[in-house]
Amino acid sequence: MSTDRGEIETPIFMPVGTKAAVKTLSPADLNDTGTQIILGNTYHLYLRPGQELIHDFGGIHKFMNWNKPVLTDSGGYQVFSLKDFRKIDEQGVSFQSHLDGSRHRFTPASVLDIQRSLGSDIMMVLDECAPYPSEREYALKSNELTLKWAREAREIYEDWSPLYGFRQQLFGIVQGSTFKDLRENSAAELIKMDFPGYAVGGLAVGEPKEIMYEITDFCTDILPVEKPRYLMGVGMPEDIIESIDRGIDMFDCVIPTRNARNGTIFSRNGKMVLKSARFREDQKPIDGECSCYTCRNFSRGYIRHLYNTNEMLGLRLATIHNVHFYLWLVQQARKNILNDTFADWKQKILSEITSTITE
Amino acid sequence: MSTDRGEIETPIFMPVGTKAAVKTLSPADLNDTGTQIILGNTYHLYLRPGQELIHDFGGIHKFMNWNKPVLTDSGGYQVFSLKDFRKIDEQGVSFQSHLDGSRHRFTPASVLDIQRSLGSDIMMVLDECAPYPSEREYALKSNELTLKWAREAREIYEDWSPLYGFRQQLFGIVQGSTFKDLRENSAAELIKMDFPGYAVGGLAVGEPKEIMYEITDFCTDILPVEKPRYLMGVGMPEDIIESIDRGIDMFDCVIPTRNARNGTIFSRNGKMVLKSARFREDQKPIDGECSCYTCRNFSRGYIRHLYNTNEMLGLRLATIHNVHFYLWLVQQARKNILNDTFADWKQKILSEITSTITE
């Protein structure tokens, strides 16, 4: 994948930097983990610090001092999660801030305008993410609305001029809940609009894993292989491998960062609840083969002590490791795809990473 | 000052790493700030993770992956702060843990034994820190007890063998509250015991600044100039400069780290409440001349945003700056002492650092 802020090797995982920071990490930390692109949340940035402020600072890259690519979502997912505090109509969605109850409105045009101020390298169209489970009728109407909004966004984007001298791409989002004909219609209509990349949205919202994999597979069979295909909000390490196998190129998820702060660690040898007392005396690194700053310098016992004594350093060290691991995982997938050894590697790595480390 | 883990240029400030971590900072961060030695708290480390665990890990340096010198206090100050939950006798002090109420006892011998397990480069004798104000009679008795304990510690130290192959020094602590004759007696008796360094304790406990400076001055006039003189728990940047002027070589204090987390920043241009809304749009670094990671890479407005959105990165960036500033300040003091320009520099820097930055 190519952006004005550099090439991105796919498949890629994007750490989530909700409010112009990947929680606990500095840009230097992110570079050390091998991060190539991060995700920012339009909804949160719109509320704090606000579109104008980031505009004044020259965009999100300058604001947070991150020079590599940024993808921003449309804010739709967060707004639709507000449930009782938002109201959808044909033209957009009105909502109340989760912070202070103040009233706001997102439209296909306004979220693009915000993302223009943010200056993200990849922007997303406003969509409605139907909940799971959805009735067919609801999913159909929702899908039609999402397509209408995608057309409006695509039209605005036709004469796009970015603010800060770096091109901005715009991705479409396939919706349609768990209904294959709706997914097919959604993908076909978006392909006609010719976006530079396509996301699969509306998954990882509570449906069984098999359905997630099936719909993902179904969508990637339709979406053009020569363009990036992005599975939004996924997921656990095993989900990422399964989805790469089904043709997905891009991922974002809070799991590696959130779980790190909760004390759960991923590694090539499996998962571990590092804040558990069982690791109190453990002088080994999290993963002796891992090359991240945390594994090169600290023991499980020390990090467990930091959790136990509420020292923030522990959250950061764990986050560095988890993000590094996710980036390592997608790099390994890439290598094995290029070497034509993906199937064997997948079988081996899945059994390793899904085990639980107890000593 | 010389230790087996390296030379220390004095005057020096020691960031406080209470529980085997300087809050929010990694060892790499500490090195970047110019930190030469840190302080660890024996009381906290004794409770969590415990003497045995740190012994098993090969000492505090290996446990936290910090290769430069560490000074540990005796734990006395924390124990005496427990007030109703401790009881002093001639042989030591019994206390209840602030964590779980469990019962423990510190003696001059036991705190040395703990500090031997920690493997600190500089150990402190158990002392009683009299509160301010203290009656003369209380201060006299307290001082006699502190001297008795210092003699016991000095005797144990006579045949000292460290655990991890690095020599450990033992410092005495001058007490005597605000009574000069008691301070004189305390210093004279400790000098007879011939410690490699001396601390001035029992100050910065609520007394007026003039008294703190006066007693500091009085003590450094008596204590040998060729040995390090350490003013415990001090202080604000201006206190450090005033105390260097009065002959102090070593300082520790939670102010730069704690205030950073509370949103207060120190710099050569003055103090600022960085989390204040007035810095919302400020694109300047905290201090344009400062060479710390924070000032080289981030604006006041961005760090203020991180405070405002509870992003931990903000606390770390602010801590990096404040610690770097404290280290810069003592380095500048050293340069000006060596150049014989201290008096002029002091006057200039005091007016600069004590002002308040509002824009």
Side-chain angles (χ1 to χ4, degrees), chain A residues 293 297-299 302 305-306 313 317, chain B residues 17 19-22 25-28 30 38-40 45 54 57 59-67 70:
Chain A
Y293 175 70
N297 290 286
F298 304 96
S299 63
Y302 177 63
H305 162 74
L306 296 176
L313 175 62
L317 294 180
Chain B
K19 297 178 279 187
V22 175
L25 301 189
S26 66
L30 283 169
I38 64 168
L39 177 140
L45 293 167
I54 292 191
F57 274 75
I60 191 169
H61 296 81
K62 286 194 177 165
F63 184 57
M64 66 180 288
N65 192 36
W66 172 251
N67 304 318
V70 173

PDB file of all heavy atoms in Angstrom, chain A residues 293 297-299 302 305-306 313 317, chain B residues 17 19-22 25-28 30 38-40 45 54 57 59-67 70:
ATOM      1  N   TYR A 293      11.574  -3.866  23.327  1.00  0.00           N
ATOM      2  CA  TYR A 293      12.269  -3.221  24.448  1.00  0.00           C
ATOM      3  C   TYR A 293      11.953  -3.921  25.762  1.00  0.00           C
ATOM      4  O   TYR A 293      12.837  -4.140  26.601  1.00  0.00           O
ATOM      5  CB  TYR A 293      11.854  -1.741  24.522  1.00  0.00           C
ATOM      6  CG  TYR A 293      12.432  -0.996  25.721  1.00  0.00           C
ATOM      7  CD1 TYR A 293      13.790  -0.714  25.794  1.00  0.00           C
ATOM      8  CD2 TYR A 293      11.608  -0.595  26.779  1.00  0.00           C
ATOM      9  CE1 TYR A 293      14.324  -0.046  26.897  1.00  0.00           C
ATOM     10  CE2 TYR A 293      12.134   0.072  27.878  1.00  0.00           C
ATOM     11  CZ  TYR A 293      13.493   0.344  27.932  1.00  0.00           C
ATOM     12  OH  TYR A 293      14.014   0.996  29.027  1.00  0.00           O
ATOM     13  N   ASN A 297      14.721  -6.223  28.197  1.00  0.00           N
ATOM     14  CA  ASN A 297      15.194  -5.551  29.403  1.00  0.00           C
ATOM     15  C   ASN A 297      14.526  -5.929  30.717  1.00  0.00           C
ATOM     16  O   ASN A 297      15.065  -5.598  31.773  1.00  0.00           O
ATOM     17  CB  ASN A 297      15.043  -4.032  29.222  1.00  0.00           C
ATOM     18  CG  ASN A 297      16.018  -3.491  28.207  1.00  0.00           C
ATOM     19  OD1 ASN A 297      17.212  -3.384  28.484  1.00  0.00           O
ATOM     20  ND2 ASN A 297      15.539  -3.192  27.009  1.00  0.00           N
ATOM     21  N   PHE A 298      13.368  -6.566  30.677  1.00  0.00           N
ATOM     22  CA  PHE A 298      12.623  -6.742  31.924  1.00  0.00           C
ATOM     23  C   PHE A 298      12.082  -8.161  32.071  1.00  0.00           C
ATOM     24  O   PHE A 298      11.774  -8.827  31.086  1.00  0.00           O
ATOM     25  CB  PHE A 298      11.477  -5.732  31.995  1.00  0.00           C
ATOM     26  CG  PHE A 298      11.943  -4.312  31.860  1.00  0.00           C
ATOM     27  CD1 PHE A 298      11.909  -3.666  30.628  1.00  0.00           C
ATOM     28  CD2 PHE A 298      12.463  -3.630  32.959  1.00  0.00           C
ATOM     29  CE1 PHE A 298      12.367  -2.357  30.492  1.00  0.00           C
ATOM     30  CE2 PHE A 298      12.919  -2.327  32.831  1.00  0.00           C
ATOM     31  CZ  PHE A 298      12.870  -1.688  31.596  1.00  0.00           C
ATOM     32  N   SER A 299      11.944  -8.570  33.329  1.00  0.00           N
ATOM     33  CA  SER A 299      11.430  -9.902  33.640  1.00  0.00           C
ATOM     34  C   SER A 299       9.920  -9.847  33.852  1.00  0.00           C
ATOM     35  O   SER A 299       9.347  -8.804  34.159  1.00  0.00           O
ATOM     36  CB  SER A 299      12.095 -10.419  34.913  1.00  0.00           C
ATOM     37  OG  SER A 299      11.743  -9.580  36.003  1.00  0.00           O
ATOM     38  N   TYR A 302       9.244  -8.599  37.375  1.00  0.00           N
ATOM     39  CA  TYR A 302       9.303  -7.151  37.577  1.00  0.00           C
ATOM     40  C   TYR A 302       8.038  -6.484  37.049  1.00  0.00           C
ATOM     41  O   TYR A 302       7.449  -5.633  37.720  1.00  0.00           O
ATOM     42  CB  TYR A 302      10.538  -6.570  36.890  1.00  0.00           C
ATOM     43  CG  TYR A 302      10.628  -5.058  37.003  1.00  0.00           C
ATOM     44  CD1 TYR A 302      10.760  -4.451  38.255  1.00  0.00           C
ATOM     45  CD2 TYR A 302      10.565  -4.245  35.878  1.00  0.00           C
ATOM     46  CE1 TYR A 302      10.832  -3.066  38.368  1.00  0.00           C
ATOM     47  CE2 TYR A 302      10.640  -2.868  35.982  1.00  0.00           C
ATOM     48  CZ  TYR A 302      10.773  -2.282  37.231  1.00  0.00           C
ATOM     49  OH  TYR A 302      10.839  -0.913  37.338  1.00  0.00           O
ATOM     50  N   HIS A 305       5.258  -7.056  39.328  1.00  0.00           N
ATOM     51  CA  HIS A 305       5.398  -6.142  40.477  1.00  0.00           C
ATOM     52  C   HIS A 305       4.855  -4.755  40.132  1.00  0.00           C
ATOM     53  O   HIS A 305       4.176  -4.119  40.953  1.00  0.00           O
ATOM     54  CB  HIS A 305       6.868  -6.071  40.890  1.00  0.00           C
ATOM     55  CG  HIS A 305       7.227  -4.877  41.738  1.00  0.00           C
ATOM     56  ND1 HIS A 305       6.865  -4.781  43.066  1.00  0.00           N
ATOM     57  CD2 HIS A 305       7.894  -3.731  41.440  1.00  0.00           C
ATOM     58  CE1 HIS A 305       7.311  -3.622  43.556  1.00  0.00           C
ATOM     59  NE2 HIS A 305       7.930  -2.972  42.592  1.00  0.00           N
ATOM     60  N   LEU A 306       5.137  -4.276  38.923  1.00  0.00           N
ATOM     61  CA  LEU A 306       4.646  -2.953  38.522  1.00  0.00           C
ATOM     62  C   LEU A 306       3.118  -2.927  38.466  1.00  0.00           C
ATOM     63  O   LEU A 306       2.486  -1.966  38.912  1.00  0.00           O
ATOM     64  CB  LEU A 306       5.238  -2.545  37.170  1.00  0.00           C
ATOM     65  CG  LEU A 306       6.763  -2.349  37.121  1.00  0.00           C
ATOM     66  CD1 LEU A 306       7.208  -2.034  35.694  1.00  0.00           C
ATOM     67  CD2 LEU A 306       7.226  -1.244  38.072  1.00  0.00           C
ATOM     68  N   LEU A 313       4.449   2.445  34.566  1.00  0.00           N
ATOM     69  CA  LEU A 313       5.479   1.894  33.684  1.00  0.00           C
ATOM     70  C   LEU A 313       5.106   0.479  33.239  1.00  0.00           C
ATOM     71  O   LEU A 313       5.381   0.089  32.099  1.00  0.00           O
ATOM     72  CB  LEU A 313       6.838   1.899  34.399  1.00  0.00           C
ATOM     73  CG  LEU A 313       7.990   1.234  33.644  1.00  0.00           C
ATOM     74  CD1 LEU A 313       8.279   1.931  32.317  1.00  0.00           C
ATOM     75  CD2 LEU A 313       9.255   1.226  34.513  1.00  0.00           C
ATOM     76  N   LEU A 317       5.139  -0.973  29.442  1.00  0.00           N
ATOM     77  CA  LEU A 317       6.001  -2.084  29.026  1.00  0.00           C
ATOM     78  C   LEU A 317       5.166  -3.203  28.414  1.00  0.00           C
ATOM     79  O   LEU A 317       5.549  -3.795  27.406  1.00  0.00           O
ATOM     80  CB  LEU A 317       6.815  -2.607  30.218  1.00  0.00           C
ATOM     81  CG  LEU A 317       7.847  -1.640  30.809  1.00  0.00           C
ATOM     82  CD1 LEU A 317       8.582  -2.298  31.981  1.00  0.00           C
ATOM     83  CD2 LEU A 317       8.839  -1.164  29.745  1.00  0.00           C
TER      84      LEU A 317
ATOM     85  N   GLY B  17      12.523   6.747  43.092  1.00  0.00           N
ATOM     86  CA  GLY B  17      11.950   5.525  42.513  1.00  0.00           C
ATOM     87  C   GLY B  17      11.402   4.665  43.630  1.00  0.00           C
ATOM     88  O   GLY B  17      11.908   3.593  43.917  1.00  0.00           O
ATOM     89  N   LYS B  19       9.053   2.507  44.431  1.00  0.00           N
ATOM     90  CA  LYS B  19       8.781   1.063  44.393  1.00  0.00           C
ATOM     91  C   LYS B  19       9.503   0.409  43.218  1.00  0.00           C
ATOM     92  O   LYS B  19       8.911  -0.295  42.418  1.00  0.00           O
ATOM     93  CB  LYS B  19       7.272   0.847  44.308  1.00  0.00           C
ATOM     94  CG  LYS B  19       6.553   1.387  45.553  1.00  0.00           C
ATOM     95  CD  LYS B  19       5.044   1.225  45.473  1.00  0.00           C
ATOM     96  CE  LYS B  19       4.389   2.300  44.646  1.00  0.00           C
ATOM     97  NZ  LYS B  19       2.915   2.272  44.670  1.00  0.00           N
ATOM     98  N   ALA B  20      10.812   0.684  43.110  1.00  0.00           N
ATOM     99  CA  ALA B  20      11.640   0.117  42.039  1.00  0.00           C
ATOM    100  C   ALA B  20      11.223   0.615  40.658  1.00  0.00           C
ATOM    101  O   ALA B  20      11.347  -0.099  39.657  1.00  0.00           O
ATOM    102  CB  ALA B  20      11.658  -1.409  42.089  1.00  0.00           C
ATOM    103  N   ALA B  21      10.729   1.843  40.615  1.00  0.00           N
ATOM    104  CA  ALA B  21      10.455   2.527  39.348  1.00  0.00           C
ATOM    105  C   ALA B  21      10.257   4.004  39.672  1.00  0.00           C
ATOM    106  O   ALA B  21       9.532   4.328  40.614  1.00  0.00           O
ATOM    107  CB  ALA B  21       9.201   1.978  38.674  1.00  0.00           C
ATOM    108  N   VAL B  22      10.913   4.872  38.914  1.00  0.00           N
ATOM    109  CA  VAL B  22      10.604   6.298  39.009  1.00  0.00           C
ATOM    110  C   VAL B  22       9.301   6.485  38.248  1.00  0.00           C
ATOM    111  O   VAL B  22       9.233   6.174  37.054  1.00  0.00           O
ATOM    112  CB  VAL B  22      11.741   7.154  38.416  1.00  0.00           C
ATOM    113  CG1 VAL B  22      11.351   8.627  38.410  1.00  0.00           C
ATOM    114  CG2 VAL B  22      13.022   6.945  39.218  1.00  0.00           C
ATOM    115  N   LEU B  25       8.518   6.487  34.357  1.00  0.00           N
ATOM    116  CA  LEU B  25       9.739   6.456  33.546  1.00  0.00           C
ATOM    117  C   LEU B  25      10.382   5.072  33.464  1.00  0.00           C
ATOM    118  O   LEU B  25      10.433   4.342  34.451  1.00  0.00           O
ATOM    119  CB  LEU B  25      10.766   7.440  34.102  1.00  0.00           C
ATOM    120  CG  LEU B  25      10.363   8.911  34.186  1.00  0.00           C
ATOM    121  CD1 LEU B  25      11.571   9.766  34.554  1.00  0.00           C
ATOM    122  CD2 LEU B  25       9.763   9.404  32.878  1.00  0.00           C
ATOM    123  N   SER B  26      10.905   4.761  32.298  1.00  0.00           N
ATOM    124  CA  SER B  26      11.713   3.556  32.118  1.00  0.00           C
ATOM    125  C   SER B  26      13.173   3.917  32.380  1.00  0.00           C
ATOM    126  O   SER B  26      13.539   5.098  32.394  1.00  0.00           O
ATOM    127  CB  SER B  26      11.564   3.045  30.682  1.00  0.00           C
ATOM    128  OG  SER B  26      12.128   3.977  29.781  1.00  0.00           O
ATOM    129  N   PRO B  27      14.038   2.924  32.562  1.00  0.00           N
ATOM    130  CA  PRO B  27      15.473   3.210  32.697  1.00  0.00           C
ATOM    131  C   PRO B  27      16.011   4.016  31.507  1.00  0.00           C
ATOM    132  O   PRO B  27      16.836   4.910  31.690  1.00  0.00           O
ATOM    133  CB  PRO B  27      16.100   1.819  32.772  1.00  0.00           C
ATOM    134  CG  PRO B  27      15.024   0.942  33.333  1.00  0.00           C
ATOM    135  CD  PRO B  27      13.743   1.484  32.766  1.00  0.00           C
ATOM    136  N   ALA B  28      15.525   3.716  30.303  1.00  0.00           N
ATOM    137  CA  ALA B  28      15.982   4.465  29.125  1.00  0.00           C
ATOM    138  C   ALA B  28      15.578   5.935  29.245  1.00  0.00           C
ATOM    139  O   ALA B  28      16.357   6.832  28.918  1.00  0.00           O
ATOM    140  CB  ALA B  28      15.413   3.852  27.850  1.00  0.00           C
ATOM    141  N   LEU B  30      15.139   7.553  32.042  1.00  0.00           N
ATOM    142  CA  LEU B  30      15.988   8.133  33.089  1.00  0.00           C
ATOM    143  C   LEU B  30      17.352   8.514  32.519  1.00  0.00           C
ATOM    144  O   LEU B  30      17.867   9.601  32.791  1.00  0.00           O
ATOM    145  CB  LEU B  30      16.154   7.146  34.248  1.00  0.00           C
ATOM    146  CG  LEU B  30      14.952   7.041  35.185  1.00  0.00           C
ATOM    147  CD1 LEU B  30      15.109   5.846  36.121  1.00  0.00           C
ATOM    148  CD2 LEU B  30      14.774   8.327  35.996  1.00  0.00           C
ATOM    149  N   ILE B  38      19.469   7.191  41.412  1.00  0.00           N
ATOM    150  CA  ILE B  38      18.082   7.310  41.862  1.00  0.00           C
ATOM    151  C   ILE B  38      17.976   6.872  43.319  1.00  0.00           C
ATOM    152  O   ILE B  38      18.875   6.219  43.856  1.00  0.00           O
ATOM    153  CB  ILE B  38      17.113   6.475  40.998  1.00  0.00           C
ATOM    154  CG1 ILE B  38      17.431   4.974  41.120  1.00  0.00           C
ATOM    155  CG2 ILE B  38      17.124   6.921  39.543  1.00  0.00           C
ATOM    156  CD1 ILE B  38      16.349   4.096  40.539  1.00  0.00           C
ATOM    157  N   LEU B  39      16.853   7.218  43.929  1.00  0.00           N
ATOM    158  CA  LEU B  39      16.593   6.810  45.308  1.00  0.00           C
ATOM    159  C   LEU B  39      15.498   5.741  45.329  1.00  0.00           C
ATOM    160  O   LEU B  39      14.518   5.831  44.584  1.00  0.00           O
ATOM    161  CB  LEU B  39      16.152   8.025  46.130  1.00  0.00           C
ATOM    162  CG  LEU B  39      15.772   7.751  47.595  1.00  0.00           C
ATOM    163  CD1 LEU B  39      16.308   8.863  48.488  1.00  0.00           C
ATOM    164  CD2 LEU B  39      14.264   7.627  47.781  1.00  0.00           C
ATOM    165  N   GLY B  40      15.680   4.727  46.152  1.00  0.00           N
ATOM    166  CA  GLY B  40      14.637   3.723  46.372  1.00  0.00           C
ATOM    167  C   GLY B  40      14.203   3.760  47.826  1.00  0.00           C
ATOM    168  O   GLY B  40      15.000   4.086  48.707  1.00  0.00           O
ATOM    169  N   LEU B  45       9.740  -1.062  49.408  1.00  0.00           N
ATOM    170  CA  LEU B  45      10.297  -2.257  48.764  1.00  0.00           C
ATOM    171  C   LEU B  45      10.257  -3.461  49.694  1.00  0.00           C
ATOM    172  O   LEU B  45      10.083  -4.596  49.259  1.00  0.00           O
ATOM    173  CB  LEU B  45      11.734  -1.975  48.308  1.00  0.00           C
ATOM    174  CG  LEU B  45      11.844  -0.950  47.174  1.00  0.00           C
ATOM    175  CD1 LEU B  45      13.289  -0.487  47.014  1.00  0.00           C
ATOM    176  CD2 LEU B  45      11.322  -1.537  45.864  1.00  0.00           C
ATOM    177  N   ILE B  54      13.564  -9.528  45.926  1.00  0.00           N
ATOM    178  CA  ILE B  54      14.610  -8.719  45.282  1.00  0.00           C
ATOM    179  C   ILE B  54      15.960  -9.411  45.424  1.00  0.00           C
ATOM    180  O   ILE B  54      16.785  -9.388  44.509  1.00  0.00           O
ATOM    181  CB  ILE B  54      14.597  -7.273  45.841  1.00  0.00           C
ATOM    182  CG1 ILE B  54      13.303  -6.576  45.373  1.00  0.00           C
ATOM    183  CG2 ILE B  54      15.829  -6.502  45.393  1.00  0.00           C
ATOM    184  CD1 ILE B  54      13.248  -5.089  45.597  1.00  0.00           C
ATOM    185  N   PHE B  57      16.214 -11.950  42.738  1.00  0.00           N
ATOM    186  CA  PHE B  57      16.465 -11.339  41.421  1.00  0.00           C
ATOM    187  C   PHE B  57      17.884 -10.776  41.315  1.00  0.00           C
ATOM    188  O   PHE B  57      18.254 -10.244  40.280  1.00  0.00           O
ATOM    189  CB  PHE B  57      15.448 -10.217  41.147  1.00  0.00           C
ATOM    190  CG  PHE B  57      14.156 -10.722  40.546  1.00  0.00           C
ATOM    191  CD1 PHE B  57      13.219 -11.389  41.327  1.00  0.00           C
ATOM    192  CD2 PHE B  57      13.874 -10.532  39.198  1.00  0.00           C
ATOM    193  CE1 PHE B  57      12.026 -11.849  40.778  1.00  0.00           C
ATOM    194  CE2 PHE B  57      12.684 -10.987  38.638  1.00  0.00           C
ATOM    195  CZ  PHE B  57      11.764 -11.655  39.429  1.00  0.00           C
ATOM    196  N   GLY B  59      19.181  -8.331  43.417  1.00  0.00           N
ATOM    197  CA  GLY B  59      19.265  -6.933  43.841  1.00  0.00           C
ATOM    198  C   GLY B  59      18.378  -6.020  43.024  1.00  0.00           C
ATOM    199  O   GLY B  59      17.825  -6.409  41.988  1.00  0.00           O
ATOM    200  N   ILE B  60      18.244  -4.805  43.511  1.00  0.00           N
ATOM    201  CA  ILE B  60      17.307  -3.863  42.885  1.00  0.00           C
ATOM    202  C   ILE B  60      17.753  -3.448  41.483  1.00  0.00           C
ATOM    203  O   ILE B  60      16.924  -3.216  40.604  1.00  0.00           O
ATOM    204  CB  ILE B  60      17.080  -2.619  43.780  1.00  0.00           C
ATOM    205  CG1 ILE B  60      15.910  -1.796  43.244  1.00  0.00           C
ATOM    206  CG2 ILE B  60      18.341  -1.776  43.922  1.00  0.00           C
ATOM    207  CD1 ILE B  60      15.430  -0.717  44.174  1.00  0.00           C
ATOM    208  N   HIS B  61      19.066  -3.374  41.260  1.00  0.00           N
ATOM    209  CA  HIS B  61      19.532  -2.969  39.930  1.00  0.00           C
ATOM    210  C   HIS B  61      19.059  -3.957  38.870  1.00  0.00           C
ATOM    211  O   HIS B  61      18.537  -3.563  37.824  1.00  0.00           O
ATOM    212  CB  HIS B  61      21.055  -2.863  39.906  1.00  0.00           C
ATOM    213  CG  HIS B  61      21.609  -1.798  40.795  1.00  0.00           C
ATOM    214  ND1 HIS B  61      21.775  -1.985  42.149  1.00  0.00           N
ATOM    215  CD2 HIS B  61      22.031  -0.530  40.536  1.00  0.00           C
ATOM    216  CE1 HIS B  61      22.282  -0.877  42.683  1.00  0.00           C
ATOM    217  NE2 HIS B  61      22.445   0.024  41.728  1.00  0.00           N
ATOM    218  N   LYS B  62      19.263  -5.230  39.122  1.00  0.00           N
ATOM    219  CA  LYS B  62      18.832  -6.236  38.145  1.00  0.00           C
ATOM    220  C   LYS B  62      17.308  -6.295  38.068  1.00  0.00           C
ATOM    221  O   LYS B  62      16.740  -6.472  36.998  1.00  0.00           O
ATOM    222  CB  LYS B  62      19.388  -7.614  38.513  1.00  0.00           C
ATOM    223  CG  LYS B  62      20.875  -7.735  38.214  1.00  0.00           C
ATOM    224  CD  LYS B  62      21.335  -9.183  38.245  1.00  0.00           C
ATOM    225  CE  LYS B  62      22.814  -9.263  37.878  1.00  0.00           C
ATOM    226  NZ  LYS B  62      23.383 -10.574  38.233  1.00  0.00           N
ATOM    227  N   PHE B  63      16.653  -6.188  39.230  1.00  0.00           N
ATOM    228  CA  PHE B  63      15.193  -6.277  39.268  1.00  0.00           C
ATOM    229  C   PHE B  63      14.564  -5.243  38.338  1.00  0.00           C
ATOM    230  O   PHE B  63      13.683  -5.546  37.535  1.00  0.00           O
ATOM    231  CB  PHE B  63      14.714  -6.078  40.704  1.00  0.00           C
ATOM    232  CG  PHE B  63      13.233  -6.250  40.906  1.00  0.00           C
ATOM    233  CD1 PHE B  63      12.592  -7.437  40.560  1.00  0.00           C
ATOM    234  CD2 PHE B  63      12.476  -5.233  41.475  1.00  0.00           C
ATOM    235  CE1 PHE B  63      11.218  -7.601  40.770  1.00  0.00           C
ATOM    236  CE2 PHE B  63      11.111  -5.386  41.689  1.00  0.00           C
ATOM    237  CZ  PHE B  63      10.485  -6.577  41.324  1.00  0.00           C
ATOM    238  N   MET B  64      15.045  -3.995  38.431  1.00  0.00           N
ATOM    239  CA  MET B  64      14.433  -2.922  37.631  1.00  0.00           C
ATOM    240  C   MET B  64      15.250  -2.558  36.396  1.00  0.00           C
ATOM    241  O   MET B  64      14.867  -1.660  35.644  1.00  0.00           O
ATOM    242  CB  MET B  64      14.176  -1.689  38.500  1.00  0.00           C
ATOM    243  CG  MET B  64      15.414  -0.989  39.020  1.00  0.00           C
ATOM    244  SD  MET B  64      15.013   0.468  40.062  1.00  0.00           S
ATOM    245  CE  MET B  64      14.425   1.634  38.830  1.00  0.00           C
ATOM    246  N   ASN B  65      16.353  -3.257  36.186  1.00  0.00           N
ATOM    247  CA  ASN B  65      17.219  -3.017  35.027  1.00  0.00           C
ATOM    248  C   ASN B  65      17.782  -1.594  34.993  1.00  0.00           C
ATOM    249  O   ASN B  65      17.727  -0.902  33.978  1.00  0.00           O
ATOM    250  CB  ASN B  65      16.472  -3.321  33.726  1.00  0.00           C
ATOM    251  CG  ASN B  65      17.402  -3.366  32.527  1.00  0.00           C
ATOM    252  OD1 ASN B  65      18.540  -3.812  32.637  1.00  0.00           O
ATOM    253  ND2 ASN B  65      16.940  -2.871  31.393  1.00  0.00           N
ATOM    254  N   TRP B  66      18.331  -1.196  36.132  1.00  0.00           N
ATOM    255  CA  TRP B  66      18.979   0.118  36.244  1.00  0.00           C
ATOM    256  C   TRP B  66      20.413  -0.127  36.686  1.00  0.00           C
ATOM    257  O   TRP B  66      20.649  -0.696  37.758  1.00  0.00           O
ATOM    258  CB  TRP B  66      18.227   0.967  37.280  1.00  0.00           C
ATOM    259  CG  TRP B  66      18.896   2.260  37.637  1.00  0.00           C
ATOM    260  CD1 TRP B  66      19.507   2.575  38.825  1.00  0.00           C
ATOM    261  CD2 TRP B  66      19.005   3.439  36.815  1.00  0.00           C
ATOM    262  NE1 TRP B  66      19.987   3.852  38.786  1.00  0.00           N
ATOM    263  CE2 TRP B  66      19.696   4.411  37.567  1.00  0.00           C
ATOM    264  CE3 TRP B  66      18.587   3.749  35.510  1.00  0.00           C
ATOM    265  CZ2 TRP B  66      19.985   5.687  37.065  1.00  0.00           C
ATOM    266  CZ3 TRP B  66      18.873   5.019  35.016  1.00  0.00           C
ATOM    267  CH2 TRP B  66      19.549   5.964  35.787  1.00  0.00           C
ATOM    268  N   ASN B  67      21.374   0.298  35.834  1.00  0.00           N
ATOM    269  CA  ASN B  67      22.763  -0.079  36.091  1.00  0.00           C
ATOM    270  C   ASN B  67      23.578   0.992  36.795  1.00  0.00           C
ATOM    271  O   ASN B  67      24.725   0.770  37.147  1.00  0.00           O
ATOM    272  CB  ASN B  67      23.441  -0.457  34.775  1.00  0.00           C
ATOM    273  CG  ASN B  67      22.673  -1.558  34.073  1.00  0.00           C
ATOM    274  OD1 ASN B  67      22.222  -2.499  34.720  1.00  0.00           O
ATOM    275  ND2 ASN B  67      22.481  -1.434  32.767  1.00  0.00           N
ATOM    276  N   VAL B  70      22.221   3.502  43.009  1.00  0.00           N
ATOM    277  CA  VAL B  70      20.959   3.642  43.739  1.00  0.00           C
ATOM    278  C   VAL B  70      21.287   3.952  45.192  1.00  0.00           C
ATOM    279  O   VAL B  70      22.172   3.323  45.777  1.00  0.00           O
ATOM    280  CB  VAL B  70      20.132   2.335  43.689  1.00  0.00           C
ATOM    281  CG1 VAL B  70      18.893   2.424  44.594  1.00  0.00           C
ATOM    282  CG2 VAL B  70      19.717   1.995  42.268  1.00  0.00           C
TER     283      VAL B  70
END
